């Protein structure tokens, strides 16, 4: 069993209350940080830990913190991005429901490190129970003197607020989140300026994912170097993976980065294999927006090496044969799942969630959804497949925010790896409504790559 | 930072003030290297970045950091750096992306130019003429909206809208309380006033001038005439609310409509008030300055002003030039 840092005490009864959390060593990291460390030390410690943003992009958190502009006379803000709405990702909700004080502890340390006197947790509007849990936890922490004026007698003041979002996926994009927090329509801003220079109300702001902020607690408690010992290469520490789909044991797993994907799927310690004794067809490794991979590419990279659960290994091979770590939404598809239907479902989601600000994403996502719908229900043409590739290429990279890329990648990758299945939907329109394409050759071992002629 | 920043756009060097955007630097050069802009409007604060037609490639970031930018950038919102090298029409990547964007803009556009009042002075029409495909690949029903009256003088036809947000910025920047904005999201988002309130301001008519397509039209001019049959004339009057400098659009003796004076990029020189725009439609109300110079490329200029484009046969034949001498001289004078 791998080391658990975030979910160590998750099964302790009433860990969501302050007293139990405190008795398990909670808030020790805050005491250590506020009493013995300077803000610069904390940032240095996080840098040393090699912690990378857990929200999707994987940008080093310590770097992000050190980029924060510190002009005189302007307040700075730390905002926690709890607008988790990516299909396939549900780790932050779990963390906030079960162990809210971990997030609050991380927020206090992070705010202290950045010099923020006011911090916000922006929670997705649909997560009303979690908002109540967080508010209760904040009240408990305030009673115990960990929030408010003069925390622990160190002279540091911090106010922590929970802000419910309006229920839009786009508000998980950091500048849209800031707009929404300011009370405006959640449209992403045009960058530059980046939030580290001008974010919330024009002041320097850092936006971090729930899990990144929670991971700061073990980093400060045990030291950044200790944290960096876990993991492989530049992927350090532990990561929460939301495993879903046709697995024997779907759920939230805290893994040490570097676990082989094959072990993660089939070992009893983790997901326990594919449900009902079926075979694996495809995996979306990091939430709906990352490229989908067929079974033969998820277990082994194109160079026949075992694929590991790390940022680097999952993206090995680029978009041609690789995927991304993303936010850790691990979705497994068994042999009876239809990739075309799944792609259509993702496209429908992005069509619904596009903010409509910039033209390629606004018009293109709807177009892709309609074409995919037609393909799924057997009314498609062979040219539709190339059309989809072309439309996705015209959206990708040409939009204000990454939602355009996120909408284009699943479609482009599904066609790249499962083109036969799309073609089958066109050539056998009757069958595609009655049965699925099946596993076909998607789990066959890959041929050894031919040596490149020198 | 030095006072002057040197950049090159498609290999043409230009010196601009620091903080200038790539688009404005290109406009200082002029000609073909200027990226098209559907949503950017230099007189409106915060506009731009949305339509993505002005995407350009930055092949060299700056003198200090020569790395190219990883993605195409919106030239209207990216400021120039010293030593920056920008590729617009010399980059096939940019041309390809722009084609894609024009196609996206057109898939939900009704293409009802034959009955649209904006036809002839429509930015989308020009853009599609230059960059669009001859045939659409979109085979689904286009989105439709009901026509809405915003106030008694302006009509909103949302079906034609390309969501450039220019009118939102106008309404935001001229009125005290915000009543004009976007409802819904994605491809069903809609420009609207909150619960069908009228935009009630002396300058509200400017939303018609800033609209790059025919989504916002002047109700006093709707279906009166095609713009290329009307003759634009510059005129002014003493107005206590605005500068009073306008373009009158004549058909015969009648002033059919009044607009602001638009420059080469379709931007008005100065915003005009609703009194000038909607009320003053008699020649006696105005002091006529002279004919408006309309670009040769514009359909409006056909048969009106500007120089006479000689048929090729006349250019070759001296005898024909002699016989048309009188007419040629008249055009040279004009």
């Amino acid at each position: 069993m791998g080391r658990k840092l975030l979910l160590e005490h998750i099964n302790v009864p009433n860990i969501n209350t302050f007293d139990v959390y405190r008795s398990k060593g909670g808030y020790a990291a805050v005491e250590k940080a506020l009493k013995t460390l300077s803000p610069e030390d904390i940032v240095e410690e996080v840098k040393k830990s090699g912690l990378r943003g857990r929200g999707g992009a994987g940008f080093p958190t310590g770097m992000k913190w050190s980029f924060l502009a510190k002009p005189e006379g302007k307040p700075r803000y730390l905002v926690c991005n709890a607008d988790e709405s990516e299909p396939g990702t549900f780790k932050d909700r779990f963390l906030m429901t079960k162990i809210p004080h971990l997030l609050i502890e991380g927020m206090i340390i992070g705010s202290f490190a950045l010099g923020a006197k006011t911090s916000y947790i922006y929670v997705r509007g649909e997560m009303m129970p979690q908002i109540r849990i967080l508010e209760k936890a904040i009240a408990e922490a305030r009673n115990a003197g960990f929030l408010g004026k003069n925390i622990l007698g160190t002279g540091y003041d911090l106010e922590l607020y929970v802000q419910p979002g309006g229920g839009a996926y786009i508000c998980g994009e950091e500048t849209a989140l800031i707009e929404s927090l300011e009370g405006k329509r959640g449209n992403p801003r045009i960058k530059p300026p980046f939030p580290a220079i001008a974010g919330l109300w024009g002041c320097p702001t850092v936006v971090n994912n729930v899990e990144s902020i929670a991971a700061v607690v073990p980093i400060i408690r045990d030291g950044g170097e200790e944290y960096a010992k876990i993991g492989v290469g530049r992927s350090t520490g532990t990561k929460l993976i939301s495993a879903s789909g046709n697995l024997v044991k779907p759920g939230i797993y805290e893994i040490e980065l570097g676990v082989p994907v094959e072990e993660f799927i089939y070992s009893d310690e983790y997901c326990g294999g594919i449900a009902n004794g079926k075979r694996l067809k495809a995996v979306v490794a990091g939430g709906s927006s990352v490229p989908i991979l067929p079974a033969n590419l998820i277990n082994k990279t194109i160079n026949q090496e075992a694929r590991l659960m790390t940022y680097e290994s999952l993206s090995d091979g680029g978009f041609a044969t690789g995927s991304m770590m993303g936010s850790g939404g691990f979705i497994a598809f068994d042999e009876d799942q239809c990739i075309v239907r799944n792609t259509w479902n993702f496209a429908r989601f992005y069509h619904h969630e596009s903010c409509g600000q910039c033209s390629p994403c606004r018009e293109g996502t709807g177009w892709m959804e309609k074409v995919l719908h037609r393909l799924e229900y057997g009314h498609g043409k062979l040219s539709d497949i190339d059309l989809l590739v072309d439309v996705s290429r015209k959206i990708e990279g040409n939009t204000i925010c990454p939602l355009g890329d996120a909408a284009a990648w699943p479609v482009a990758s599904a066609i790249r790896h499962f083109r036969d299945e799309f073609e089958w939907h066109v050539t056998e329109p009757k069958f595609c409504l009655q049965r699925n394409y099946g596993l076909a050759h998607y789990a066959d071992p890959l041929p050894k790559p031919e040596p490149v002629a020198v | 930072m030095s006072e002057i920043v040197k950049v090159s756009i498609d290999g043409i060097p230009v010196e601009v003030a620091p903080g200038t955007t790539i688009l404005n630097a290109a406009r200082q050069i002029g000609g073909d290297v200027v990226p098209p802009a559907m949503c950017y409007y230099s007189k409106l604060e915060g506009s731009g970045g949305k339509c993505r037609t002005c995407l350009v490639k930055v092949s060299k970031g700056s003198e200090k950091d020569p790395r190219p930018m990883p993605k195409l950038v919106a030239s209207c919102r990216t400021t120039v750096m010293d030593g920056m090298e920008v590729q617009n029409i010399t980059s096939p990547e940019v041309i390809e992306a722009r084609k894609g964007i024009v196609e996206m803009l057109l898939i939900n556009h009704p293409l009802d130019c034959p009955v649209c009042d904006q036809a002839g002075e429509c930015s989308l029409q020009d853009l599609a003429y230059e960059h669009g495909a001859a045939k659409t690949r979109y085979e689904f029903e286009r989105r439709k909206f009901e026509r809405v009256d915003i106030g008694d003088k302006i009509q909103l036809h949302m079906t034609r809208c390309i969501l450039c947000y220019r009118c939102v910025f106008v309404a935001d920047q001229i009125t005290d309380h915000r009543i004009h904005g976007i409802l819904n999201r994605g491809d069903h988002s809609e420009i609207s006033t909150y619960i069908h309130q009228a935009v009630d301001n002396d300058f509200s008519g400017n939303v018609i001038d800033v609209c790059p397509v025919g989504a916002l039209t002047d109700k006093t001019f709707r279906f009166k005439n095609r713009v290329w049959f009307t003759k634009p004339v510059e005129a002014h009057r003493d107005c206590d609310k605005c500068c009073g400098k306008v373009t009158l659009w004549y058909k015969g003796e009648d002033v059919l409509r009044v607009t602001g004076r638009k420059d080469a990029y379709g931007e008005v020189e100065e915003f005009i008030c609703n009194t000038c725009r909607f009320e003053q439609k008699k020649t006696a109300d105005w002091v006529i300055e002279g004919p408006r110079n309309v670009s040769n490329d514009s359909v409006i200029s056909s048969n009106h002003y500007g120089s006479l484009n000689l048929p090729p046969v006349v250019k070759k034949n001296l005898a024909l030039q002699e016989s048309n001498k009188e007419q040629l001289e008249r055009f040279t004078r004009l």
Side-chain angles (χ1 to χ4, degrees):
Chain A
M1 204 77 182
R3 262 187 80 182
K4 299 259 187 290
L5 294 176
L6 302 177
L7 305 185
E8 196 181 351
H9 301 300
I10 199 75
N11 290 325
V12 176
N14 296 327
I15 189 71
N16 60 348
T17 60
F18 180 82
D19 295 331
V20 177
Y21 181 73
R22 186 88 171 105
S23 70
K24 288 287 170 191
Y27 288 98
V30 167
E31 281 176 294
K32 182 181 173 191
L34 265 61
K35 288 182 175 161
T36 62
L37 298 173
S38 72
E40 290 77 30
D41 291 341
I42 299 175
V43 175
E44 203 47 49
E45 213 51 48
V46 175
K47 264 191 181 171
K48 256 191 267 172
S49 74
L51 172 67
R52 293 173 67 171
R54 301 296 196 223
F59 191 78
T61 307
M63 293 270 274
K64 196 171 187 174
W65 286 11
S66 62
F67 286 154
L68 185 75
K70 294 186 173 162
E72 280 295 310
K74 256 193 180 179
R76 301 188 281 274
Y77 296 100
L78 173 65
V79 179
C80 173
N81 182 349
D83 191 75
E84 179 183 56
S85 12
E86 178 119 338
T89 311
F90 39 89
K91 61 187 175 63
D92 296 347
R93 187 179 64 185
F94 180 78
L95 202 71
M96 289 187 291
T97 319
K98 293 282 182 179
I99 187 160
H101 284 285
L102 186 69
L103 173 62
I104 291 164
E105 191 178 358
M107 285 298 283
I108 300 169
I109 300 170
S111 305
F112 177 68
L114 300 170
K117 302 265 187 249
T118 315
S119 292
Y120 297 90
I121 305 175
Y122 183 94
V123 189
R124 180 181 170 193
E126 285 92 336
M127 295 190 194
M128 221 52 216
Q130 283 70 29
I131 293 170
R132 296 209 184 91
I133 291 167
L134 281 173
E135 281 186 334
K136 179 167 162 277
I138 288 173
E140 285 177 334
R142 184 192 301 277
N143 274 343
F146 284 99
L147 282 173
K149 296 251 176 257
N150 197 10
I151 297 168
L152 301 175
T154 54
Y156 175 64
D157 309 333
L158 175 67
E159 286 299 329
L160 189 56
Y161 298 102
V162 178
Q163 172 66 42
Y169 174 69
I170 190 64
C171 291
E173 201 274 341
E174 59 179 359
T175 52
L177 186 150
I178 289 170
E179 286 276 298
S180 176
L181 200 54
E182 288 180 6
K184 298 178 193 154
R185 183 187 160 85
N187 277 358
R189 291 180 183 169
I190 295 144
K191 291 183 264 190
F194 288 91
I197 311 292
L200 189 60
W201 290 299
C203 302
T205 306
V206 167
V207 183
N208 278 136
N209 180 258
V210 171
E211 197 192 335
S212 318
I213 289 177
V216 171
V217 176
I219 289 171
I220 297 303
R221 192 181 58 212
D222 308 332
E225 274 158 17
E226 192 63 28
Y227 188 85
K229 281 179 192 163
I230 308 171
V232 179
R234 286 180 57 232
S235 303
T236 58
T238 62
K239 169 102 184 76
L240 297 181
I241 302 288
S242 337
S244 62
N246 308 109
L247 295 164
V248 174
K249 293 192 293 177
I252 308 272
Y253 294 94
E254 181 168 9
I255 59 158
E256 289 184 12
L257 287 172
V259 173
V261 177
E262 203 159 4
E263 186 188 331
F264 181 73
I265 299 174
Y266 292 104
S267 141
D268 283 335
E269 188 187 325
Y270 300 109
C271 301
I274 306 303
N276 305 325
K278 288 184 182 162
R279 290 168 299 171
L280 180 71
K281 181 177 182 183
V283 165
V284 171
S288 66
S289 58
V290 309
I292 189 169
L293 285 182
N296 51 12
L297 275 172
I298 189 73
N299 292 330
K300 292 256 192 312
T301 65
I302 193 77
N303 298 322
Q304 306 288 335
E305 290 158 10
R307 210 183 270 281
L308 311 176
M309 297 288 270
T310 63
Y311 288 92
E312 290 80 21
S313 181
L314 279 175
S315 55
D316 183 277
F319 278 2
T321 60
S323 183
M324 276 166 79
M325 184 84 192
S327 53
F330 192 92
I331 313 172
F333 301 89
D334 73 21
E335 54 192 305
D336 286 343
Q337 304 308 318
C338 176
I339 299 299
V340 181
R341 189 169 187 83
N342 173 65
T343 313
W344 167 58
N345 191 25
F346 284 168
R348 194 177 54 158
F349 173 79
Y350 288 109
H351 174 214
H352 186 252
E353 295 296 343
S354 166
C355 79
Q357 192 180 202
C358 59
S359 12
C361 172
R362 176 183 69 229
E363 310 291 355
T365 50
W367 193 2
M368 288 201 301
E369 193 226 312
K370 285 174 189 143
V371 174
L372 279 162
H373 181 271
R374 181 161 80 178
L375 279 170
E376 163 62 16
Y377 287 97
H379 307 298
K381 298 181 283 189
L382 278 175
S383 63
D384 284 352
I385 301 167
D386 287 329
L387 175 72
L388 280 173
V389 175
D390 193 52
V391 173
S392 73
R393 213 178 52 230
K394 279 172 174 161
I395 300 174
E396 186 189 337
N398 291 343
T399 51
I400 295 175
C401 78
L403 194 139
D405 301 346
W409 291 341
V411 176
S413 64
I415 295 175
R416 191 181 305 127
H417 299 301
F418 299 92
R419 200 177 183 106
D420 318 10
E421 191 165 346
F422 281 85
E423 283 173 2
W424 180 76
H425 271 250
V426 177
T427 52
E428 305 286 346
K430 272 184 198 153
F431 292 127
C432 81
L433 294 174
Q434 293 158 4
R435 62 182 177 88
N436 280 320
Y437 189 58
L439 184 63
H441 56 86
Y442 296 129
D444 295 352
L446 289 170
K448 278 230 156 49
E450 286 180 22
V452 183
V454 182
Chain B
M1 197 182 245
S2 61
E3 285 293 292
I4 295 280
V5 178
K6 285 180 191 160
V7 291
S8 90
I9 297 165
D10 284 340
I12 305 170
V14 64
E15 292 182 353
V16 294
T20 315
T21 59
I22 297 174
L23 183 76
N24 281 330
R27 283 184 179 181
Q28 290 188 18
I29 301 172
D32 287 343
V33 300
V34 184
M38 300 295 289
C39 65
Y40 173 76
Y41 208 78
S42 58
K43 275 103 192 159
L44 296 173
E45 201 184 315
S47 67
K50 299 189 192 328
C51 69
R52 319 303 284 175
T53 52
C54 69
L55 288 178
V56 292
K57 185 180 178 180
V58 177
S59 48
K60 182 184 169 191
S62 68
E63 208 58 66
K64 276 183 211 150
D65 181 10
R67 285 175 305 170
M69 290 193 186
K71 287 180 182 177
L72 303 182
V73 297
S75 61
C76 60
R77 290 293 291 262
T78 312
T79 48
V80 295
M81 306 289 272
D82 196 33
M84 189 184 256
E85 281 172 20
V86 180
Q87 289 182 353
N88 178 21
I89 50 174
T90 48
S91 159
E93 199 185 333
V94 171
I95 300 293
E96 187 66 24
R98 198 166 287 157
K99 262 192 185 161
I101 283 151
V102 175
E103 185 174 22
M104 302 280 185
L105 283 175
L106 288 174
I107 62 170
N108 272 314
H109 192 77
L111 296 172
D112 58 349
C113 308
V115 295
C116 175
D117 279 313
Q118 190 85 5
E121 51 177 16
C122 172
S123 310
L124 188 62
Q125 224 176 10
D126 299 346
L127 188 74
Y129 183 73
E130 248 172 74
H131 302 280
K135 205 163 172 281
T136 182
R137 295 185 288 170
Y138 188 71
E139 294 164 324
F140 304 92
E141 203 178 324
R142 289 158 197 258
R143 62 155 183 258
K144 282 196 205 88
F145 293 90
E146 289 295 312
R147 284 193 290 273
V148 185
D149 286 345
I150 305 179
D152 57 343
K153 296 290 197 304
I154 309 163
Q155 189 167 71
L156 168 66
H157 193 9
M158 196 45 222
T159 311
R160 291 175 187 152
C161 178
I162 57 161
L163 286 164
C164 68
Y165 285 59
R166 279 181 186 176
C167 57
V168 177
F169 286 110
V170 171
D172 271 359
Q173 287 168 23
I174 60 170
T175 50
D176 316 330
H177 56 291
R178 201 180 144 183
I179 45 169
H180 182 93
I182 310 276
L183 305 180
N184 300 328
R185 67 173 179 228
D187 61 4
H188 25 259
S189 46
E190 169 179 8
I191 302 271
S192 185
T193 52
Y194 186 59
I195 324 189
H196 292 249
Q197 273 182 299
V199 180
D200 182 24
N201 186 283
D202 277 341
F203 286 81
S204 63
N206 287 303
V207 295
I208 300 164
D209 275 355
V210 298
C211 186
V213 293
L216 287 159
T217 43
D218 184 343
K219 277 181 77 183
T220 62
F221 180 64
R222 270 179 77 81
F223 305 129
K224 285 266 178 75
N225 218 308
R226 311 303 324 216
V227 288
W228 57 88
F229 293 140
T230 58
K231 297 182 181 181
V233 166
E234 284 186 5
H236 66 266
R237 69 183 270 266
D238 279 334
C239 179
D240 48 0
K241 291 184 201 140
C242 67
C243 63
K245 291 180 184 163
V246 300
T247 307
L248 304 179
W249 299 77
Y250 272 96
K251 171 81 176 177
E253 300 284 296
D254 306 321
V255 178
L256 289 190
R257 72 170 174 161
V258 183
T259 66
R261 292 181 186 173
K262 292 189 184 179
D263 64 13
Y265 305 109
E267 296 181 7
V268 292
E269 283 160 17
E270 271 173 281
F271 291 128
I272 60 167
C273 70
N274 283 3
T275 319
C276 291
R277 184 186 303 273
F278 299 124
E279 316 288 342
Q280 310 293 328
K281 294 215 172 170
K282 287 199 286 290
T283 307
D285 298 329
W286 298 96
V287 180
I288 307 290
E289 291 171 15
R292 172 130 189 97
N293 198 9
V294 177
S295 142
N296 260 341
D297 306 333
S298 169
V299 68
I300 301 171
S301 74
S302 60
N303 308 324
H304 291 323
Y305 311 111
S307 61
L308 174 70
N309 278 332
L310 293 176
V313 63
V314 180
K315 281 181 188 162
K316 286 181 199 146
N317 194 328
L318 275 174
L320 275 177
Q321 281 183 22
E322 190 60 36
S323 59
N324 286 299
K325 198 178 171 194
E326 192 187 335
Q327 210 178 1
L328 280 171
E329 272 174 3
R330 202 174 72 214
F331 276 106
T332 329
R333 243 189 358 258
L334 276 172

